[in-house]
Amino acid sequence: MNPTRVRTRVAPSPTGDPHVGTAYVALVNYCFARQHGGEFILRIEDTDRARSTAESERVILEALRWCGLEWDEGPDVGGPFGPYRQSERSSIYASYAERLLVSGHAFKCFCTPQRLEEMRVAQRAAGLTSRYDGRCLTYSAQEVAQREAAGEPFVVRLRVPDEGVCVVNDLRRGPIEFEYSSVDMQVLVKSDGMPTYHLANVVDDHLMEITHVFRGEEWVSSAPKHLLLYSYFGWQPPQLLHLPLLRNPDKSKLSKRKNPTGILFFRAMGYLPEALLNFLALLVNAVRDGEDELLDLPAIVRRFDLEHVPIGGPVFDLAKLDWLNGRYIRERLDPPGFVQRVAEWAISPERLTRMAALAAPRIERLSDLGPLLAFLFSGRLALTAQSFESAKLDALSIRRALSLGLTEFDKLATWNVFAIERAIGRIAAALGKKSRDVARPFYIAITGSPTSIPLYDSMELLGRDLVRERLRNALDLLGTPSKRELQEWESLLQSDEAVV
RNA sequence: GGCCCCAUCGUCUAGUGGCCUAGGACGCCGCCCUCUCACGGCGGUGACGCGGGUUCGACUCCCGCUGGGGCUACCA
């Protein structure tokens, strides 16, 4: 019916560590494209200047490659529809925003953040949908020109009808109806001139000739805005399918405070990429009764079935991943292959060199190496609440310190000894304790012992994901902070930051 | 609060009105194999959230409730 070649994309935002949900979404897009002999594109959505980093982009690409997914077009491999990095396409978005402005489908808005905030608070208090009230829509052309000439900062907003219904056709969910009156007049161009996701994603999907968009469920509620944009531009929108969000065991959205979420975590933990991808594939399309669950990528693509992609949010079941990974290790790896994987995993020459340098001054026999460095080759450590009794701090301070570590470490732009040391320093200051005393429980949580090779080096070597895992584990042992505690403790840190 | 999505064993799911006294996988339990453990084999535990309809017949269709989730930013 439609002779157009199938083109799908995954569009991660380089604002943090690669998320396993990104791999999940990428896999679906990959499978569909491959199954139809189409193209799978990787696009970087870095329109958030404040949060996007080149390092994050690099790591995300590396992580997706590690998973075994290859894209046909992308910022690193190029392609006929480039550039594939939104920050390099500013002029394109500007011209399309201008088009909307001219046609009256968008307008300049000079409202201050404070006014918007007050408006929303009032709307919510009145039990209404929070939605831009259209004040700047009442200004005359001259008034807009005047304000602009006066140097007033402004954003460009999408004009949304006050009445009528928008129908979003989801490939699996069917038609979803939204009253336009419940759709906000989204900002399309920020005051810094950068487009928001909404504008950029629509323009790019059109220009890059994307035919099918498989994306996370969190986008359902902004689909009407996107559809509106397509219609304003006179473009044919792509087919949409919203995939369920991966969940924590308590069914909430998978979050790194509670669970491993980073692709890098799985690598650091010693999962094989084939197993991870296989596990995700099982979440996308379950096997038939009696069919083997061990599937390589070609098999995953072959049996991919759009009609049977689930829409209920699955809990990410680590136990099942463990089982699958075990099968890969014992069924798919021959001895040389196994050795190679182990080498890639943890004993690269660089890593070994670094470990040796840290360990050598502290041992008397080579055989001391095993116990001293075992924690660097382990997943979960065998700790109990008693393990922390040798720490200098009181129980509450320990929990506070570890919990603050969990949040502080995630804020670090780069993961190295220096940054880690400063983070610990900040935590110590926030708690009014000495750094060395605060470091003690971290030694125990991370290395398994109060005496070990240097903590900060160990943490860098172990990687942020494994450190996070160990802190989570320690906190589980000592008592996971309640929501209230978490809030109180965080404020401790914030007030400290304000002083600095 | 408002808008939207979802709902089968603890978990992932099969099931698209009769094939279902609901099937498979992970987990858990037991037995077997075995120098330990693991693997492997065999068996077991265990679910259609609730209430109304529709129908000769509902896990399957409709409505309500309840529960869970997402969004509600000049973040994506």
Side-chain angles (χ1 to χ4, degrees):
Chain A
M1 198 173 79
N2 186 352
T4 309
R5 192 182 181 94
V6 166
R7 286 172 60 85
T8 65
R9 48 74 164 179
V10 63
S13 172
T15 54
D17 290 340
H19 195 278
V20 71
T22 304
Y24 175 73
V25 171
L27 177 64
V28 172
N29 281 284
Y30 176 92
C31 286
F32 189 77
R34 286 286 171 275
Q35 199 171 53
H36 291 83
E39 280 104 33
F40 169 60
I41 290 104
L42 186 127
R43 184 172 72 219
I44 293 295
E45 309 241 337
D46 56 350
T47 53
D48 184 341
R49 274 183 174 150
R51 297 196 305 147
S52 298
T53 67
E55 172 62 7
S56 172
E57 176 187 316
R58 189 188 66 74
V59 178
I60 288 171
L61 262 54
E62 184 192 320
L64 289 175
R65 275 233 169 71
W66 176 78
C67 287
L69 297 172
E70 287 291 333
W71 41 97
D72 304 298
E73 299 167 27
D76 57 336
V77 297
F81 296 85
Y84 295 89
R85 200 176 280 121
Q86 292 186 327
S87 58
E88 294 167 14
R89 301 170 64 82
S90 298
S91 59
I92 299 175
Y93 309 124
S95 72
Y96 284 99
E98 186 56 31
R99 222 168 111 175
L100 292 175
L101 246 15
V102 168
S103 64
H105 289 126
F107 60 98
K108 291 175 181 170
C109 171
F110 299 89
C111 292
T112 63
Q114 296 88 300
R115 185 184 109 69
L116 294 172
E117 181 55 26
E118 284 162 20
M119 179 195 78
R120 288 183 190 118
V121 169
Q123 285 168 334
R124 184 181 260 245
L128 302 168
T129 300
S130 84
R131 177 180 198 256
Y132 182 64
D133 59 7
R135 172 189 281 199
C136 292
L137 228 29
T138 65
Y139 298 155
S140 66
Q142 294 97 303
E143 195 166 356
V144 170
Q146 262 171 24
R147 284 171 178 268
E148 211 179 328
E152 266 191 61
F154 67 89
V155 298
V156 175
R157 281 184 190 276
L158 173 71
R159 189 158 187 172
V160 178
D162 291 321
E163 292 179 347
V165 172
C166 174
V167 180
V168 175
N169 280 303
D170 183 281
L171 253 20
R172 284 283 288 120
R173 293 160 208 258
I176 303 170
E177 294 190 356
F178 292 85
E179 293 280 347
Y180 277 124
S181 60
S182 74
V183 177
D184 200 3
M185 300 198 204
Q186 255 295 329
V187 170
L188 298 177
V189 180
K190 309 176 214 177
S191 55
D192 67 356
M194 286 293 272
T196 57
Y197 167 86
H198 305 284
L199 208 218
N201 131 79
V202 166
V203 168
D204 285 347
D205 281 347
H206 173 72
L207 260 25
M208 295 181 182
E209 298 179 10
I210 301 301
T211 57
H212 300 258
V213 170
F214 306 115
R215 65 196 337 180
E217 191 183 356
E218 75 265 38
W219 297 109
V220 171
S221 51
S222 40
K225 298 164 193 167
H226 303 160
L227 256 22
L228 217 40
L229 280 170
Y230 281 103
S231 96
Y232 287 164
F233 283 125
W235 296 338
Q236 165 100 32
Q239 300 284 307
L240 294 177
L241 190 159
H242 294 92
L243 299 163
L245 263 17
L246 269 20
R247 311 281 186 89
N248 293 311
D250 69 2
K251 304 278 189 181
S252 57
K253 176 163 97 168
L254 197 61
S255 65
K256 64 183 168 190
R257 181 96 202 179
K258 298 180 184 172
N259 278 290
T261 58
I263 297 175
L264 266 23
F265 164 83
F266 296 96
R267 184 171 69 176
M269 198 69 178
Y271 288 97
L272 307 182
E274 307 91 302
L276 179 61
L277 211 55
N278 192 157
F279 174 75
L280 293 174
L282 255 18
L283 253 30
V284 176
N285 289 132
V287 295
R288 297 255 140 206
D289 291 3
E291 189 185 354
D292 191 358
E293 290 194 299
L294 219 66
L295 305 162
D296 57 16
L297 193 50
I300 292 169
V301 171
R302 197 181 326 116
R303 56 190 300 293
F304 175 76
D305 180 6
L306 190 69
E307 301 296 310
H308 287 86
V309 171
I311 49 182
V315 170
F316 196 95
D317 185 10
L318 273 174
K320 180 130 186 189
L321 208 213
D322 286 341
W323 168 79
L324 250 187
N325 202 57
R327 283 197 61 188
Y328 272 91
I329 289 175
R330 72 184 93 91
E331 294 177 31
R332 294 293 164 92
L333 253 33
D334 56 10
F338 179 73
V339 169
Q340 194 199 330
R341 294 304 180 104
V342 172
E344 285 168 6
W345 170 62
I347 53 172
S348 63
E350 310 88 84
R351 203 175 137 91
L352 218 43
T353 304
R354 181 123 183 244
M355 287 183 209
L358 291 165
R362 296 178 169 77
I363 61 173
E364 294 172 320
R365 292 149 300 198
L366 297 180
S367 58
D368 294 330
L369 218 47
L372 189 62
L373 298 183
F375 76 94
L376 289 171
F377 301 94
S378 308
R380 272 223 174 78
L381 265 21
L383 294 175
T384 64
Q386 285 70 45
S387 311
F388 291 85
E389 280 169 5
S390 63
K392 288 250 170 76
L393 301 184
D394 56 285
L396 179 63
S397 296
I398 294 176
R399 291 176 60 234
R400 278 180 171 167
L402 297 177
S403 177
L404 289 179
L406 222 34
T407 40
E408 249 341 69
F409 296 148
D410 278 338
K411 288 187 201 155
L412 301 180
T414 47
W415 186 250
N416 59 38
V417 177
F418 187 65
I420 294 166
E421 179 173 9
R422 293 194 23 178
I424 296 271
R426 280 196 297 278
I427 294 166
L431 297 179
K433 307 280 182 189
K434 287 198 284 189
S435 277
R436 58 178 304 156
D437 292 339
V438 167
R440 191 108 165 163
F442 283 93
Y443 265 101
I444 298 165
I446 286 154
T447 74
S449 156
T451 53
S452 177
I453 60 171
L455 178 65
Y456 310 143
D457 291 274
S458 302
M459 288 172 69
E460 186 188 325
L461 231 27
L462 216 40
R464 199 192 312 236
D465 290 272
L466 244 33
V467 166
R468 193 187 294 116
E469 168 74 5
R470 296 208 178 156
L471 294 183
R472 259 197 314 262
N473 185 235
L475 241 18
D476 280 347
L477 257 28
L478 299 169
T480 308
S482 66
K483 259 196 171 137
R484 199 171 140 184
E485 285 177 317
L486 219 50
Q487 244 172 22
E488 276 177 30
W489 302 351
E490 301 286 313
S491 70
L492 238 47
L493 205 55
Q494 263 142 28
S495 61
D496 173 65
E497 267 179 344
V499 177
V500 176

